Amino acid sequence: MSTPVISSREADVLALLGEHLSNAEIAARLFISVRTVESHVSSLLRKLAVPDRRALSRRAAEFAPVQMAAPVLPAPLTAFVGRVRERGELAEALKKHRQVTAVGPGGVGKTRLALAVAAELAGDFADGVWFVDLAPVTDPGRVGAAVAAALGVGEQPGRGIDDSVFAVLADRQALLVWDNCEQIRDGVAPFLERLLAACPRVRVLVTSRARLMVPFERVFPVPPLSRAGGGDSEAVELFLERSAAVGLSWDPSVRDTVVALCERLDGMALAIELAAARCPTLGLDGLVAGLSDQLRILAGGPRAADRHRSVRAVLDWSHDLLEPADRALLRRVSVFVVPFTAEAAAELAGFAPLDPGAVADGLGRLAEQSLLTVTPSAAGTRYRALETIRQYGAERLDEAGETEAVRSRHVEWCLDRAAGLLDAGGADWRARFDAVAEDLRAALAWAAEQPRLRADAHRLALSLAESAFTRNLPGESQQRYEQAAALAGADADAGEPLRLAAAVAGCRRLGDDMFRLHRAAAEAARRAGDLAGAGRDLAAAATVAYRFSSEFTRIPAVEETAAMLAEARELSGAAGAAPGPAAARVRDSAPGRDSGAVSVPGPGPGGDPAPGPGAASSPDPLASAAVALAEAAVLADAFGAVQGATDNTVEETIALAERAVALAHRAGDPVAESAALDALSGARSWAGDSFAAAAAARRRIDLLIPLPPTPARTHELLDALAMASGTALGAGGLAEARRWGRQLAGHPLLAEVGHHATSWLLVADAFAGRVDEVLTGSGRFLDAWERGGRQQSFSLGPAAASVAMVHGLRGDLAARAEWLGIVDRAGTAEEYRHGYGAILDAMVLLHDGDAAGALDRLAPEPEQVWKWVTWIWLHWYVALRAEASVLAGHPDARARTAAARSLVAGNPVATAHVDRADALLDGDLPRLLAAAKAFGAAGSRYQSARTLLLAGDEHAAAGAAALAELGLGR
């Protein structure tokens, strides 16, 4: 039997149920609402198939070890020695201060001390201790991404990765250990300040060679190991323990020599460990002699007062004891940022004086001398240099004059690995990407600064952008596409990366970025002499301003987009739409109309536009399709934009959308055709044709599914799934709406945004009467919505209102009120008042027997609220309005049912509503029972049960039992 999968928040609730806490106590402990706790409890009862809270409490212990385990800290391979005083003081500092920086030179033992203290304090942090290794990070802007990766946090559309981290940690009690921060202090300090402000229960322990220089920092200097006590000192204890690990035991008579050695090493932990590693081959006297020589060389030099002198001395000494080939290997592999294989090392370092075939043996020798560490992995043995040794190796690489040669080979290696990642795929793709990602980033950072490698940097940025998108790192993907555009050798090569970046921004729900990047692509195309391309990109920018207007922080002015559309026509030579009222209105609003600065070309011979100065010589099919779609968006507002006009004509909107579809199809671009079909779906909804709107949405999915998962296709598919689910609901296809909704909810790019992922599935489940599914999904929705900054969207309001409706049907007025409060913030007031809110509220009122209240909620004629009830809600509005009229005894009840029947014909659920209304009006019991069966066949179990309840007598008992089975018993 498989183990039920429960979310981390459900695991939190389950553990507290195991402590026999009430819902209110659990809510207080987890900083969530009581209603959210109730949703999680309901979900757990269903998933674990148990009858009550007592049974859940018994299951808590079973799941606690797996679900509630604290994050695993790195497990050192050697014992921790000494530091009793420092451990106590650092632990005390962390209890008193939210941010502590453990400062000290490389090799003093900061990381081991931090890990030891973190392990001791783990029990004080309910949400665990998390370790973040920042050594591989070279870009200060990627601190948040590194923390997110350690936490397992993905990006959320509409916000950057930093904000996603803050949202996840907002109510968490956790300790974060950030190791090796010195090289990116400029990125650590501002991110840390924002984190601490946004997450009041989080504490951060930083290790760094230098303090962060921020006002809230508590600095804890990490001293060398104590030499007090002579032969019993911590420094001597470490040396003896590490030398014993390599098979040596010492006679008490050598204690004084060991004491002297540790004194010369200044108690530096790394120096002592490296020295102990040399004991089997050099002996104690050889160690002392060799170290003394090195210290003499360093005496009086520029590093004489440097606290690194003992570490550098040991590294110098260890380095000089190596054979020349091993020295070359050590400095060359220092270029690798993350653990590497012997094969990778041979490819990178295997040139004179190194024989590639001897690299594997050399790695083994370096590991034996503690200059490399061995890291087992599922893919085989990997090697890694500690950060201090990497920095030392980089210095030696520079001294040998090999930096450019080795780093260039590293860039070539990264290009090859990046290409291999994209070509190979496979179930282990994610792990293979993670194994090389930091190397790709480091190679790109270096290559981008080398003029001769600009082309390689451009290629690497493109590969990293594509891989990052596949890895569900859209923020980095957009950044790398923009970087690739900046690195392009010619303007002609910059346009496509900018378009790809715009598509990724679309997946992230960043309308402003989409608009900016399409305009930048247009400028690049213009500079390259590609006038048709420039027109296509300008048209795309204009379309984005209307199609995704709800995703903008600043919606472009109508005059601005009108001017862009006019310029797009002129540049591309695309034939404009036939003039109509909307076209004239927008043309009149374009700035410079009287001065001639911007104008819409008039028809030329044969009805085609007269090309303006600098126009493309002949219309480009893709540009023509893009301009046609922009006309449907800007001229006729096919997408129902925030800034759209309200007086466009339905006929003109449909004509413009159909023209856009035809041109996109003729151009052979399925993604462009999908976007045009979205306009047609909107246009058909304005016409009140719910079935045609749903058909257009389905056609989009058929077009997109076979395509490779590029950013543009992915953006279109996410939108198409949402539209298909919504329009299927509007046409009464509940099963279809749930199918598309489930596909949307399961898309990996939406894993971190449960509110957007589950919104349409919640609506479809609510209309189908799937109470348990709604209560379970509402927990994910609410958690994600709160973490996501409580965003507002055209789909979030209906989802929250659907959950409120289900709570209303259950008779839980407090939960209903709470969710209606969420509706106020997640949706818009007018949509709720006149559109979906009227329908969902009327369902609750009818359930409660308040037909008059339901009729009052649906009082406006459909024509009066047309803007809010078209697309999805029209059939539901007129059908429920007819039923409320019958139950409330309205004199026009029969006329309303007749009008509704004509409008909803073909919609199985809405037709069943009208049939029920007519049966109630005529007292026709057989017809009423037939309506109950029709509801059941259409997937509306709630309405089927309610129909039986309305039928009375023995049927009412069956209806009540069915409602109770759904979780709606009173």
Side-chain angles (χ1 to χ4, degrees), residues 15-32:
L16 296 177
L17 285 170
E19 298 178 22
H20 305 288
L21 300 186
S22 68
N23 285 358
E25 290 169 328
I26 293 173
R29 184 80 66 87
L30 298 180
F31 291 89
I32 58 179

Side-chain angles (χ1 to χ4, degrees), residues 54-335:
R54 181 176 299 178
L56 281 178
S57 298
R58 288 195 294 267
R59 296 292 299 274
E62 172 187 338
F63 280 84
V66 176
Q67 300 293 337
M68 297 300 294
V72 178
L73 290 169
L77 300 177
T78 54
F80 185 78
V81 175
R83 300 284 195 190
V84 175
R85 179 182 60 81
E86 291 92 334
R87 287 164 73 171
E89 291 178 355
L90 182 54
E92 193 61 30
L94 274 169
K95 292 176 181 178
K96 293 180 179 179
H97 306 282
R98 293 189 58 213
Q99 194 275 309
V100 178
T101 303
V103 174
V108 77
K110 301 183 296 295
T111 300
R112 291 298 301 271
L113 175 62
L115 287 173
V117 171
E120 290 177 3
L121 295 178
D124 295 343
F125 294 90
D127 294 299
V129 179
W130 302 81
F131 182 81
V132 184
D133 183 8
L134 292 173
V137 181
T138 56
D139 180 356
R142 290 197 55 78
V143 172
V147 175
L151 296 173
V153 173
E155 289 189 49
Q156 297 193 4
R159 59 170 47 202
I161 192 67
D162 291 7
D163 291 330
S164 296
V165 171
F166 303 151
V168 167
L169 292 174
D171 63 348
R172 299 288 184 178
Q173 184 185 18
L175 172 63
L176 308 184
V177 181
W178 295 359
D179 197 32
N180 295 302
C181 294
E182 56 276 350
Q183 82 281 6
I184 48 168
R185 285 190 300 162
D186 290 346
V188 169
F191 179 83
L192 180 58
E193 185 166 6
R194 293 171 61 205
L195 172 71
L196 294 176
C199 311
R201 305 173 74 211
V202 168
R203 293 175 185 259
V204 182
L205 172 57
V206 165
T207 75
S208 176
R209 298 187 185 190
R211 58 174 298 184
L212 301 180
M213 304 296 290
V214 290
F216 50 83
E217 177 183 35
R218 177 73 173 190
V219 176
F220 183 87
V222 179
L225 286 167
S226 171
R227 281 92 70 204
D232 295 324
S233 70
E234 292 180 343
V236 170
E237 183 185 357
L238 177 64
F239 181 87
L240 295 177
E241 197 278 336
R242 296 298 188 260
S243 57
V246 294
L248 299 178
S249 60
W250 301 103
D251 187 273
S253 62
V254 303
R255 283 270 178 156
D256 290 344
T257 304
V258 175
V259 170
L261 176 66
C262 292
E263 192 65 44
R264 291 188 177 217
L265 295 175
D266 286 344
M268 300 295 284
L270 178 60
I272 292 171
E273 292 189 341
L274 289 171
R278 302 297 303 188
C279 277
T281 55
L282 293 178
L284 196 56
D285 55 344
L287 284 175
V288 174
L291 185 57
S292 296
D293 288 343
Q294 287 290 349
L295 288 175
R296 225 177 3 256
I297 293 172
L298 291 173
R303 297 190 295 264
D306 187 353
R307 294 185 66 189
H308 283 78
R309 66 187 184 277
S310 57
V311 175
R312 185 176 296 279
V314 171
L315 290 173
D316 283 342
W317 160 68
S318 295
H319 175 269
D320 290 346
L321 290 171
L322 298 173
E323 294 297 324
D326 289 349
R327 295 179 194 173
L329 180 58
L330 179 65
R331 65 178 178 259
R332 291 172 184 177
V333 298
S334 69
V335 172

Side-chain angles (χ1 to χ4, degrees), residues 747-763:
H747 196 285
L749 200 63
L750 300 182
E752 299 294 327
V753 282
H755 49 320
H756 289 295
T758 63
S759 57
W760 287 114
L761 184 57
L762 280 173
V763 177

Side-chain angles (χ1 to χ4, degrees), residues 90 140 156 186 206 426 562 564 627 641 670 748 781 810 873 899 922:
L90 182 54
Q156 297 193 4
D186 290 346
V206 165
M564 290 170 61
V627 168
F781 176 95
R810 297 172 67 219
W873 312 113
D922 296 334

